[in-house]
Amino acid sequence: MAAQGMPDLSNAIVAQDEMGRPFIIVRDQGKKQRKHGIEATKSHILAARSVASIVKTSLGPRGLDKILISQDGDITITNDGATILTQMDLDNQIAKLLVELSRSQDDEIGDGTTGVVVLASALLDQALELIEKGIHPIKIANGFDEACKIAIDQLDKVADVVPIEDESYLLKAAKTSLGSKIVSKSHDHFSQMAVDAVMAVADLERKDVDFELIKIEKKVGGSIEDSLLIKGVLLDKDFSHPQMPKQVKDCKIAILTCPFEPPKPKTKHKLDISTVEEFKLLQEYETKKFQEMIDLVKQSEANVVACQWGFDDEANHLLLSNGLNAIRWIGGSELELLAIATNGRIVPRFEDLSPEKLGSAGIVRELEFGTTRDRMLVIEDCSNSKAVTCFIRGSNEMITAEGVRALHDSLCVVRNLIRDNRVVYGGGAAELTCSLAVSEAADKQKGIDQYAFRAFASALDTIPMTLAENSGLDPIETLSHLKSKQVNENSSRLGVDCLGKGTNDMKELFVIDPYIGKRQQLLLATQLTRMILKINDVIISGKDEY
Amino acid sequence: MAFSNQTPTIVVLKEGTDASQGRGQILTNINACLAIQETLKPTLGPFGSDILIVNSQGKTTISNDGATILKLLDIVHPAAQMLVDISRSQDAEVGDGTTTVTVLAGELLKEAKTFIEDGVSSHLITRGFRKACELCMHKIEELAVDVRKEDADEFRQLLERCARTAMSSKLISNNSDFFTKMVVDAVLSLDQEELDEKLIGIKKVAGGSIEDSLFIDGVAFKKTFSYAGFEQQPKYFTNPKIVCLNVELELKAEKDNAEVRVEQVKDYQSIVDAEWKIIFNKLEEITSTGANIVLSKLPIGDLATQYFADRNIFCAGRISHEDMDRITKAIGGNVQSTCSDITPADLGTCATFEEVQIGGDRYNLFKGCPEAKTCTLILRGGAEQVIAEVERSLHDAIMIVKRAISNHTVVAGGGAIEMELSKYLRDYSRTIAGKQQLIISAFAKALEVIPRQLCENAGLDAIELLNILRSSHAKGETWYGIDFQKESVGNNMKNFIWEPALVKINAISSATEAATLLLSVDETIRNDEQEQAGPPQGRGRGAF
């Protein structure tokens, strides 16, 4: 009765009874995977490394895109770190942590999602070497924390304040973030769009930008340069009746949340119609209702009706014959945006319509695209400019989707600058100066922290090195050259000249990043490293069989 | 006991029932507990590592908290289950020291194992352990330092130090300055009589670094689901009047399952009007109270949202029960379940109300509340697992602070108190004759596991440091323990590594109880019908 039928206990929690037979303490031991001690830490680091190596080549203006095919065959082409990682559907736990890392950078800052993953894996790589030397993982993590503080102090020191009133700086920052994206050939256009959009909705006093007010719409067709910013609202709808005029000027818009139908009680009800007279009465009642509704709209002097629900055919006809343009089936959030943009009030029933509740817009027109019969409605010259729509065009679905992501990144960059108007220089310049500061501080440390500091410094070097590599430069040569230059010229603005413009001065090239974005990258990467280093035991339950 | 195959089998219990007994059973149980202890050991102390557990649903937890790990391990062995229970009871009672209690119980059993193997009756061992435990309790009470509660500054420091010690082994140990303040503020803001930690709201928002976490002296909750029109409401108020409702503000059928029979077409309109009138009456009554903010546990529909937007009133529906509870605690006022007869006394207020963006979500913040018997911590972190672990760590720290308020005697951590107790027991054991002498000194030895494990986890030389500790305690240095900064020994009372005495008392007494209970079990009968599917030949005698 020895080993037969026994589950595989080679890596489970095992105890033996007095006869030397192993017995089970934890449910489903055989199916559980277990890793222990340094072995676990090492395998985590390897997992992190392989994740980072996937996104590594997307870093920087010369970074390459990835093509991702989902299970349903949808294709995404992107070089946005967060998007790549989320769509990869990873199974490894540590890899999932890295995905969350880039996602939280995305949520908070919106840019630098690739950089943070590369940095975290570089830190782990360095930690691996130290662990092999026999240093306690938590001591390494503590050292990294200290080093991170120094790096952030250095960032503080070298950060430049830019006047956000001057749009040119915002434009440059937006341009930096677009540098690596597919839209980079029209990045002037896109960065202008991003800056205009954010400035239109920004509350400069509270330093708050509500992204709910910026809507991004995409439509396949045309080229990426045809993308435009609409100071108003764009609805993917058309007028309810094909014969309505395609353009209305000086609009008064009635925004309704009730259907153009005879009102119905919400309580369950039943109407027995037993005679022809009654049926006629009902019909009369309905016609009367429609007429009443139209009259109420007319009385309020509205000339456009925007409705959340549908219309009865009869109502539609009546609207046309009364010269009212109407839009139906507008979604709740779009309706809200429309109300905000036009300063109108959302009206729940016809009786409540009054002239002061109407929204006003300079022009409502129908856009027609190419030869397809697709139409969209543009509502412009609204009384409240605090609602804008970015309309992205592109030759195929993938490009428009990537355009939306790129625009989102640059919107975030501009918003971050409005929140905190300090900038650091890109192209790896900020990482280099931090690396120099940390390695200088390393020699002043007592004890094991020295090693951790040096490791942190070399991890920071990974960013400029990767940039150089992706741009086809010799990474080591570029790095050493830049380092010596930064020290000799005592300038923190020198970075990798990715595009071969002939200078390393990032200020001249206008490659700037928001300070809070960089700071966040450092902090998040260090904290995640700590978390991974601290794990020394992994228990994975078997998947349920059924 | 290998004769079982030769004796004729008399079937007393149903087939498939698993029975095992005798000394072997005790040893088996001890082995099971030791295996669990082995798993938890590396997580002890400031250099303790974390364990990553993935459950069968694929949910990942990374934790250092003993109770959490044991809960997730899904232990089936009945004896090992006991350890889970004591760590849980420690968690419920004091909130911290869950790893300590498990490690200690395991070590006591390990010491007892040698005695059992030598044929000492388990009753003698249990008696010895109980005696030793009792002695420890008295000794701790005698040694514990009382911190005067009158001196507010000193008292606050006490709390901060206790919180810091509790956090030292967690992920957030490097941010402990930041979090100790947060935790102590949070607990002090509670009603000092009741100290109901449920009133400390903890909200988790992914993104941002750990130190971006916020302390709010009031209530915060995530923006609830809103209808069109919501964005047109004002999002900032100073000294608003707030009305809390438990009323659904929606145009709907007032009675479910009711059916109206409409006789005539003209009646049709009047029913529609009546329904509108009901909702409008409610809304008017609310507006007439002069409230600026309307909160409800039940949905607030689009009609009401737009109605409020028209009148510059902010509203939020579908607020969860706990949030609403804390809101009323913070702002005063009562939850109303009708809209009529709302008196000004039923309205609450706060200094500022604001909707802000935190990470990817928008949050409603009520700050500067007059009653302020509650507060909210908004935790941030790079990954969900990070935040979850921060929350568990803070929970431990909060519980410790709470304990320290009601029970303000402290002892030094870092193995100091264990070493002192160990020395005391060893001295005592020499004064008595008989087997008890051995057992009590075994208890003393078991206590040393705490400093030993602390050293091992930090990669220090455990044997050397323990020797130094023993000699310094023999010289009368009561509070000497492991000093991780210097990687040697030091006076942990002066280093401010403080723990509430209650934590230790509870840990030692529940560890002893668990150990004695396990020692007195010598037979397991398990009627497990699922096991019948196993290999039929030979009745296994282990706990298999």
Side-chain angles (χ1 to χ4, degrees):
Chain A
M1 68 166 291
Q4 57 152 319
M6 275 290 174
D8 170 28
L9 295 175
S10 55
N11 49 13
I13 302 174
V14 184
Q16 291 176 339
D17 66 8
E18 74 285 2
M19 307 278 291
R21 284 189 302 253
F23 62 92
I24 287 189
I25 299 169
V26 176
R27 197 186 301 280
D28 287 344
Q29 274 192 134
K31 277 187 254 155
K32 281 195 168 134
Q33 296 172 30
R34 187 116 193 273
K35 278 198 210 92
H36 220 20
I38 303 274
E39 233 14 75
T41 319
K42 275 187 189 164
S43 86
H44 293 160
I45 293 173
L46 290 180
R49 189 190 285 169
S50 56
V51 171
S53 69
I54 297 172
V55 291
K56 213 171 181 180
T57 50
S58 315
L59 192 74
R62 288 272 157 96
L64 301 176
D65 288 3
K66 308 277 170 275
I67 188 161
L68 301 154
I69 304 174
S70 75
Q71 282 167 339
D72 326 327
D74 290 339
I75 296 174
T76 314
I77 299 176
T78 184
N79 77 356
D80 181 56
T83 315
I84 299 173
L85 289 174
T86 353
Q87 301 217 347
M88 270 198 322
D89 195 16
L90 296 156
D91 201 33
N92 184 289
Q93 299 314 315
I94 300 302
K96 277 189 195 156
L97 277 179
L98 284 178
V99 175
E100 288 221 9
L101 172 76
S102 85
R103 201 184 298 153
S104 68
Q105 171 85 11
D106 197 30
D107 283 352
E108 189 73 10
I109 305 294
D111 187 36
T113 50
T114 314
V116 69
V117 174
V118 173
L119 188 62
S121 104
L123 281 171
L124 286 170
D125 252 356
Q126 294 291 334
L128 181 63
E129 278 176 34
L130 297 184
I131 289 174
E132 273 169 359
K133 278 183 189 149
I135 301 178
H136 197 287
I138 294 176
K139 282 195 184 141
I140 303 174
N142 285 347
F144 279 178
D145 271 357
E146 290 301 314
C148 181
K149 271 181 206 149
I150 292 190
I152 285 171
D153 285 347
Q154 176 71 10
L155 270 189
D156 257 336
K157 248 184 262 165
V158 301
D160 279 351
V161 175
V162 293
I164 49 168
E165 297 76 36
D166 187 355
E167 277 195 11
S168 67
Y169 280 97
L170 297 180
L171 275 176
K172 283 169 206 156
K175 233 187 253 180
T176 310
S177 79
L178 290 170
S180 60
K181 308 287 173 189
I182 214 165
V183 294
S184 63
K185 62 176 170 141
S186 54
H187 61 6
D188 279 337
H189 186 68
F190 263 68
S191 48
Q192 188 68 47
M193 235 164 94
V195 173
D196 287 349
V198 173
M199 290 314 266
V201 303
D203 183 344
L204 289 180
E205 263 167 38
R206 276 178 64 204
K207 298 196 171 180
D208 187 33
V209 181
D210 191 350
F211 270 4
E212 305 257 315
L213 299 176
I214 302 177
K215 218 173 126 215
I216 302 181
E217 282 283 346
K218 58 180 191 225
K219 191 99 193 166
V220 177
S223 82
I224 248 188
E225 280 90 351
D226 294 338
S227 306
L228 56 121
L229 177 77
I230 296 164
K231 296 218 162 140
V233 186
L234 184 77
L235 299 173
D236 193 1
K237 295 278 176 303
D238 49 11
F239 286 125
S240 59
H241 200 289
Q243 282 172 333
M244 287 176 181
K246 300 291 170 226
Q247 188 167 341
V248 187
K249 281 190 177 156
D250 299 325
C251 311
K252 292 280 173 200
I253 307 172
I255 304 164
L256 296 168
T257 52
C258 51
F260 238 99
E261 286 165 5
K264 282 197 199 98
K266 295 270 179 181
T267 317
K268 223 180 191 179
H269 58 278
K270 198 170 170 189
L271 180 61
D272 280 332
I273 297 173
S274 44
T275 60
V276 180
E277 279 76 43
E278 272 183 42
F279 189 74
K280 277 187 183 155
L281 265 175
L282 181 68
Q283 222 178 4
E284 256 171 52
Y285 166 76
E286 287 195 353
T287 337
K288 208 179 86 205
K289 269 286 152 196
F290 282 133
Q291 195 54 51
E292 256 177 52
M293 288 175 188
I294 300 285
D295 286 347
L296 282 167
V297 175
K298 277 273 176 198
Q299 262 171 37
S300 70
E301 290 162 9
N303 53 4
V304 176
V305 180
C307 183
Q308 197 175 6
W309 307 101
F311 308 152
D312 202 284
D313 278 346
E314 203 178 333
N316 206 1
H317 172 77
L318 270 174
L319 282 167
L320 179 71
S321 54
N322 279 287
L324 290 168
N325 274 26
I327 316 160
R328 56 182 160 182
W329 296 118
I330 304 174
S333 61
E334 287 166 319
L335 195 75
E336 191 168 14
L337 206 63
L338 181 68
I340 294 170
T342 58
N343 259 347
R345 288 294 184 182
I346 300 173
V347 179
R349 56 177 184 170
F350 289 92
E351 286 87 334
D352 297 341
L353 272 176
S354 62
E356 64 278 2
K357 285 190 175 173
L358 299 182
S360 59
I363 186 164
V364 176
R365 63 192 162 90
E366 236 178 51
L367 272 183
E368 205 163 329
F369 300 104
T371 51
T372 57
R373 306 257 303 146
D374 283 346
R375 294 203 184 86
M376 282 179 140
L377 280 174
V378 181
I379 296 137
E380 275 178 316
D381 290 336
C382 302
S383 43
N384 178 6
S385 57
K386 277 207 178 246
V388 294
T389 307
C390 299
F391 186 43
I392 310 285
R393 305 298 309 273
S395 53
N396 60 39
E397 191 70 42
M398 277 83 82
I399 290 193
T400 47
E402 178 67 356
V404 170
R405 278 191 292 273
L407 188 72
H408 177 255
D409 276 13
S410 52
L411 285 174
C412 289
V413 167
V414 179
R415 174 192 61 178
N416 292 340
L417 279 181
I418 286 176
R419 265 201 219 154
D420 186 336
N421 59 353
R422 284 178 291 174
V423 296
V424 290
Y425 292 94
E431 283 87 357
L432 266 180
T433 165
C434 291
S435 155
L436 287 172
V438 172
S439 53
E440 202 181 287
D443 299 333
K444 293 175 199 151
Q445 296 300 312
K446 282 185 220 135
I448 289 171
D449 277 358
Q450 270 196 14
Y451 287 90
F453 270 55
R454 290 207 191 99
F456 193 88
S458 25
L460 282 173
D461 288 344
T462 322
I463 301 277
M465 261 164 91
T466 314
L467 277 177
E469 206 176 313
N470 289 349
S471 317
L473 305 170
D474 184 335
I476 300 187
E477 198 181 307
T478 320
L479 182 73
S480 49
H481 171 69
L482 280 177
K483 262 197 176 171
S484 70
K485 223 172 162 184
Q486 276 217 6
V487 175
N488 290 337
E489 296 179 19
N490 196 15
S491 154
S492 61
R493 302 198 305 250
L494 302 172
V496 182
D497 175 23
C498 296
L499 297 172
K501 291 270 174 69
T503 169
N504 289 114
D505 191 334
M506 292 293 135
K507 196 172 187 179
E508 255 169 66
L509 291 175
F510 303 125
V511 181
I512 52 178
D513 275 331
Y515 160 79
I516 48 172
K518 272 278 172 293
R519 178 172 169 271
Q520 183 83 5
Q521 275 191 352
L522 288 175
L523 282 174
L524 282 182
T526 317
Q527 271 160 14
L528 192 88
T529 311
R530 179 185 194 83
M531 173 143 229
I532 294 178
L533 286 179
K534 219 166 168 270
I535 301 169
N536 89 331
D537 199 344
V538 183
I539 300 166
I540 299 175
S541 295
K543 292 265 181 320
D544 284 336
E545 308 262 312
Y546 21 84
Chain B
M1 302 289 281
F3 308 114
S4 58
N5 289 336
Q6 291 159 18
T7 48
T9 324
I10 303 162
V11 181
V12 179
L13 298 165
K14 212 167 73 181
E15 188 67 28
T17 306
D18 191 12
S20 46
Q21 56 184 206
R23 185 140 55 98
Q25 175 64 31
I26 300 182
L27 291 178
T28 311
N29 286 345
I30 292 178
N31 281 340
C33 293
L34 289 184
I36 297 296
Q37 186 212 20
E38 206 58 46
T39 313
L40 272 193
K41 258 182 176 176
T43 65
L44 189 75
F47 283 87
S49 46
D50 289 2
I51 293 186
L52 186 152
I53 299 175
V54 184
N55 70 3
S56 47
Q57 274 94 51
K59 191 175 171 291
T60 312
T61 311
I62 298 175
S63 183
N64 171 290
D65 182 53
T68 312
I69 296 169
L70 286 178
K71 200 158 57 190
L72 291 170
L73 270 180
D74 198 6
I75 291 170
V76 287
H77 193 279
Q81 191 73 42
M82 196 91 72
L83 289 187
V84 182
D85 290 344
I86 56 165
S87 86
R88 250 188 232 175
S89 82
Q90 174 86 3
D91 195 31
E93 188 63 26
V94 259
D96 190 37
T98 51
T99 313
T100 314
V101 66
T102 322
V103 171
L104 203 57
E107 199 64 20
L108 285 173
L109 288 171
K110 198 186 202 170
E111 292 296 330
K113 191 177 161 192
T114 44
F115 289 117
I116 302 260
E117 274 166 347
D118 290 346
V120 179
S121 156
S122 57
H123 286 287
L124 277 177
I125 306 175
T126 43
R127 204 185 324 142
F129 278 2
R130 288 219 180 95
K131 175 79 186 156
C133 176
E134 206 177 297
L135 288 169
C136 286
M137 302 295 105
H138 291 307
K139 187 69 182 168
I140 294 178
E141 272 159 26
E142 187 188 313
L143 283 175
V145 178
D146 199 346
V147 178
R148 273 168 297 131
K149 205 174 179 174
E150 293 74 46
D151 190 342
D153 268 357
E154 202 173 324
F155 190 61
R156 196 189 158 86
Q157 268 182 348
L158 156 82
L159 299 181
E160 284 186 359
R161 280 165 194 160
C162 289
R164 190 170 314 220
T165 314
M167 276 184 224
S168 66
S169 64
K170 310 288 180 191
L171 188 71
I172 49 175
S173 58
N174 264 36
N175 318 83
S176 55
D177 286 343
F178 179 80
F179 282 108
T180 41
K181 192 175 169 310
M182 198 160 163
V183 165
V184 174
D185 280 345
V187 178
L188 287 180
S189 72
L190 294 178
D191 189 340
Q192 297 298 308
E193 297 299 312
E194 287 175 21
L195 286 177
D196 184 359
E197 80 279 355
K198 286 195 192 70
L199 292 177
I200 300 177
I202 295 184
K203 301 275 159 187
K204 298 178 265 188
V205 190
S209 82
I210 290 181
E211 293 214 5
D212 288 338
S213 302
L214 292 172
F215 171 81
I216 289 162
D217 59 337
V219 187
F221 60 90
K222 196 168 155 182
K223 189 191 121 176
T224 50
F225 180 81
S226 63
Y227 289 91
F230 179 76
E231 292 300 329
Q232 286 178 308
Q233 296 177 346
K235 300 295 170 59
Y236 183 85
F237 288 104
T238 47
N239 298 321
K241 282 187 195 154
I242 306 165
V243 59
C244 302
L245 299 171
N246 190 8
V247 178
E248 192 168 337
L249 295 175
E250 223 165 348
L251 181 64
K252 55 153 195 171
E254 280 303 315
K255 287 272 180 288
D256 291 338
N257 303 324
E259 195 180 295
V260 185
R261 198 164 283 249
V262 187
E263 297 290 339
Q264 280 184 316
V265 173
K266 65 177 184 339
D267 295 342
Y268 203 78
Q269 184 62 37
S270 55
I271 292 170
V272 175
D273 287 343
E275 279 182 353
W276 282 86
K277 198 162 182 284
I278 294 174
I279 175 90
F280 271 120
N281 276 348
K282 282 188 192 169
L283 294 177
E284 261 159 40
E285 271 171 312
I286 292 168
T287 336
S288 65
T289 60
N292 308 106
I293 299 177
V294 180
L295 305 172
S296 177
K297 282 195 212 172
L298 295 173
I300 295 183
D302 51 352
L303 173 68
T305 309
Q306 289 141 19
Y307 183 91
F308 289 136
D310 263 356
R311 287 155 184 79
N312 283 331
I313 294 172
F314 177 87
C315 72
R318 300 182 198 212
I319 296 172
S320 72
H321 180 71
E322 299 88 60
D323 281 336
M324 190 53 115
D325 217 25
R326 294 194 298 107
I327 290 167
T328 46
K329 284 269 186 339
I331 61 172
N334 311 308
V335 177
Q336 301 294 313
S337 37
T338 90
C339 294
S340 45
D341 291 336
I342 300 177
T343 58
D346 297 328
L347 301 182
T349 187
C350 66
T352 55
F353 163 80
E354 186 171 20
E355 185 189 289
V356 293
Q357 182 94 24
I358 297 176
D361 298 319
R362 292 197 77 83
Y363 265 78
N364 295 324
L365 309 183
F366 297 84
K367 286 191 199 165
C369 304
E371 309 274 312
K373 291 280 184 275
T374 177
C375 63
T376 307
L377 309 178
I378 297 182
L379 303 181
R380 314 294 314 276
E384 240 170 73
Q385 286 87 352
V386 176
I387 306 179
E389 177 65 2
V390 170
E391 187 193 352
R392 279 191 293 271
S393 315
L394 286 188
H395 171 256
D396 282 9
I398 286 171
M399 293 298 281
I400 284 291
V401 172
K402 198 182 128 179
R403 281 289 155 199
I405 286 179
S406 51
N407 191 318
H408 32 91
T409 53
V410 291
V411 294
I417 181 74
E418 285 87 359
M419 283 312 284
E420 183 60 23
L421 289 175
S422 165
K423 178 204 144 220
Y424 169 70
L425 286 181
R426 207 171 278 129
D427 288 348
Y428 174 81
S429 72
R430 291 200 194 99
T431 63
I432 50 172
K435 284 181 186 141
Q436 293 301 329
Q437 182 185 28
L438 285 175
I439 292 163
I440 289 180
S441 68
F443 195 99
K445 194 169 164 223
L447 283 173
E448 283 178 1
V449 69
I450 302 290
R452 187 166 68 237
Q453 198 57 43
L454 287 176
C455 290
E456 264 169 33
N457 289 348
L460 307 178
D461 187 346
I463 301 175
E464 193 196 326
L465 284 181
L466 270 191
N467 282 336
I468 302 177
L469 274 183
R470 272 192 214 115
S471 77
S472 38
H473 277 269
K475 283 176 200 148
E477 297 282 4
T478 318
W479 297 124
Y480 261 50
I482 314 283
D483 182 340
F484 293 100
Q485 253 69 47
K486 288 191 294 192
E487 303 195 350
S488 102
V489 299
N491 186 333
N492 278 349
M493 195 47 107
K494 279 194 189 136
N495 288 340
F496 302 128
I497 302 174
W498 293 3
E499 284 180 88
L502 190 73
V503 176
K504 288 291 166 202
I505 291 181
N506 207 56
I508 293 175
S509 65
S510 39
T512 318
E513 264 164 40
T516 50
L517 188 60
L518 275 172
L519 286 176
S520 57
V521 172
D522 75 338
E523 175 148 357
T524 310
I525 300 174
R526 174 157 54 172
N527 191 350
D528 198 347
E529 277 164 25
Q530 271 123 25
E531 296 284 322
Q532 278 183 351
Q537 11 78 287
R539 290 197 300 120
R541 271 211 48 250
F544 184 54

